[in-house]
Amino acid sequence: SRPILDMSYSRQFLDFQGSSIPSSMKKLVVTKLSQNFREAVTLQQDSPVPLPGDGDLLVRNRFVGINASDINYSAGRYDASVKPPFDIGFEGVGEVVALGLSASADFTVGQAVAYAKAGSFAEYTVVPARQAVLLPSVKPEFLTLMVSGATAYLSLKELGDLSEGKKVLVTAAAGGTGQFAVQLAKKAKCHVIGTCSSDEKGGFLKSIGCDRTINYKTENVESVLRKDYPEGVDVVYESVGGKMFDLALNALAIKGRLIVIGFIAGYQNPTGLQPIKAELLPAKLLKKSASVRGFFLNHYFSDYKMALQHLLKMYERGDLVCEVDFGDMSPEGKFTGLESVFRAVDYMYMGKNIGKIVVELPHSVNSKL
């Protein structure tokens, strides 16, 4: 393997025993801005493996997470100043295979780490050591916490004002982040209602404590909420947008709070948004002393490490289910290798997943002994 640093022959700095670090790798790159992920993103076969700087780790990715907002990123909606080509993928779990001198104060080669940083859809990613989270092992369950779990935890903590007996509605409840909103609201002794698209998802939601599931394919969400919750719901964790946003807004109780964490129904539209009946919003909020708040994880990074450590402890104690969906039930089977990221994004937008969609990146270990 090639030298990564001047000190690369030290076992501490380079994984020269376990496997060779190649000079090139596969990665996904946004080459054209489009809300059509397959049009926007190209699989590059021979990109150079990046070099870690003094405070960096080089991580060999083993599992990468799929997020609804991958499409927003490839469509250029988050930062208009970023022009193609640019790297994509928000989170990964893997092993440290090389690192800089300063980074070696806290990390060593062979350790398992997770991170949330753009550029994870690659075989290797350089991660600043301060952004890496040390893990006991390389497990896909840890990946579910990086973006999805942290979003649910911080949004509900900062904006939810949860307390015993409150009624909480979670839309897309069986999805990557919905599963955590359900569980965290239950831990706060709330009554939790979850919307989903199948009886199988409803069964999963009941298994993690959801009090009332609404299959929107077979039940009328508006009618159910009006009949079963005539006083309204206190908190809505909303990630669907469009008609679901309108339904949720109308279902708010006095002093209710609607937290917008996404609007997946609009991400694949050329305009990005499905229209809502927003012209009535001021009157609806005033009538109920209600509020609508947006939550974007990037604005809460000062609390991120604390949130993640809390969630990791909950998982290790067995207090949190981290459901992973590898796409085993998808037509072409399990999501393995970077080329399957395209299928995984399609699978999510078809609403098939239960839990967090994760892609495995297998690698061969070439022993030199």
Side-chain angles (χ1 to χ4, degrees):
S1 57
R2 68 203 174 113
I4 297 291
L5 287 167
D6 292 342
M7 303 180 71
S8 59
Y9 296 104
S10 156
R11 174 74 180 87
Q12 185 177 16
F13 292 100
L14 175 64
D15 183 9
F16 67 92
Q17 288 178 311
S19 66
S20 60
I21 299 171
S23 57
S24 64
M25 65 171 185
K26 294 179 186 175
K27 73 171 179 176
L28 295 187
V29 177
V30 177
T31 49
K32 171 189 170 187
L33 297 183
S34 169
Q35 74 284 347
N36 181 326
F37 191 82
R38 287 177 180 271
E39 275 184 19
V41 178
T42 303
L43 174 61
Q44 295 190 347
Q45 299 280 352
D46 54 356
S47 295
V49 172
L51 295 170
D54 180 59
D56 297 332
L57 312 175
L58 181 64
V59 178
R60 182 197 289 124
N61 294 313
R62 289 285 303 283
F63 300 102
V64 294
I66 304 296
N67 292 282
S69 45
D70 289 329
I71 277 187
N72 280 342
Y73 200 57
S74 63
R77 291 184 184 130
Y78 282 160
D79 186 350
S81 68
V82 179
K83 305 293 183 212
F86 57 86
D87 296 347
I88 191 166
F90 290 129
E91 55 191 340
V93 164
E95 304 103 352
V96 177
V97 292
L99 71 169
L101 183 58
S102 297
S104 69
D106 300 304
F107 293 91
T108 186
V109 162
Q111 286 179 326
V113 294
Y115 63 89
K117 173 189 176 288
S120 70
F121 291 165
E123 291 178 321
Y124 295 84
T125 302
V126 166
V127 180
R130 67 180 185 280
Q131 290 180 25
V133 178
L134 193 59
L135 299 175
S137 60
V138 175
K139 283 174 72 175
E141 285 79 9
F142 292 125
L143 190 58
T144 67
L145 303 175
M146 298 304 294
V147 172
S148 301
T151 294
Y153 177 82
L154 285 168
S155 63
L156 290 172
K157 180 174 177 286
E158 298 291 327
L159 310 176
D161 193 25
L162 300 184
S163 59
E164 188 170 354
K166 291 275 175 74
K167 298 179 190 72
V168 178
L169 170 65
V170 180
T171 63
T177 189
Q179 65 171 326
F180 294 111
V182 168
Q183 293 179 79
L184 293 168
K186 282 306 294 178
K187 297 266 182 255
K189 300 183 176 174
C190 297
H191 176 92
V192 183
I193 309 128
T195 69
C196 61
S197 60
S198 71
D199 291 339
E200 187 189 2
K201 291 184 179 187
F204 165 67
L205 289 173
K206 285 181 176 136
S207 78
I208 58 171
C210 200
D211 297 290
R212 173 69 161 97
T213 60
I214 308 174
N215 180 346
Y216 64 80
K217 295 279 179 77
T218 58
E219 296 179 271
N220 183 299
V221 178
E222 191 172 16
S223 302
V224 170
L225 291 173
R226 197 182 297 126
K227 175 175 170 287
D228 293 359
Y229 304 95
E231 300 294 310
V233 295
D234 301 295
V235 179
V236 183
Y237 185 84
E238 216 297 273
S239 60
V240 177
K243 290 174 183 170
M244 188 64 82
F245 176 92
D246 286 327
L247 278 178
L249 181 67
N250 292 336
L252 283 177
I254 303 296
K255 296 183 183 176
R257 291 173 300 287
L258 192 157
I259 305 169
V260 177
I261 65 118
F263 35 92
I264 190 171
Y267 291 173
Q268 286 185 310
N269 292 354
T271 56
L273 271 171
Q274 285 195 337
I276 56 168
K277 294 168 184 166
E279 64 274 11
L280 301 173
L281 189 62
K284 287 178 178 179
L285 296 179
L286 179 66
K287 184 179 170 186
K288 294 178 175 177
S289 292
S291 63
V292 175
R293 294 285 300 271
F295 179 88
F296 189 41
L297 186 60
N298 289 14
H299 299 145
Y300 290 83
F301 273 151
S302 58
D303 300 314
Y304 179 74
K305 277 266 173 93
M306 170 276 297
L308 209 52
Q309 297 300 345
H310 181 80
L311 291 166
L312 282 167
K313 282 178 189 154
M314 285 181 74
Y315 172 67
E316 285 167 357
R317 284 198 309 263
D319 289 344
L320 203 59
V321 172
C322 297
E323 188 70 15
V324 171
D325 192 332
F326 277 118
D328 295 295
M329 307 305 291
S330 68
E332 293 172 59
K334 185 176 175 180
F335 302 133
T336 305
L338 284 172
E339 49 280 355
S340 69
V341 167
F342 298 98
R343 284 200 299 120
V345 170
D346 289 343
Y347 181 73
M348 174 173 49
Y349 277 90
M350 288 187 287
K352 300 291 188 188
N353 60 300
I354 295 180
K356 174 84 178 183
I357 301 175
V358 173
V359 174
E360 183 173 5
L361 306 184
H363 69 277
S364 57
V365 173
N366 306 313
S367 176
K368 294 202 161 188
L369 299 179

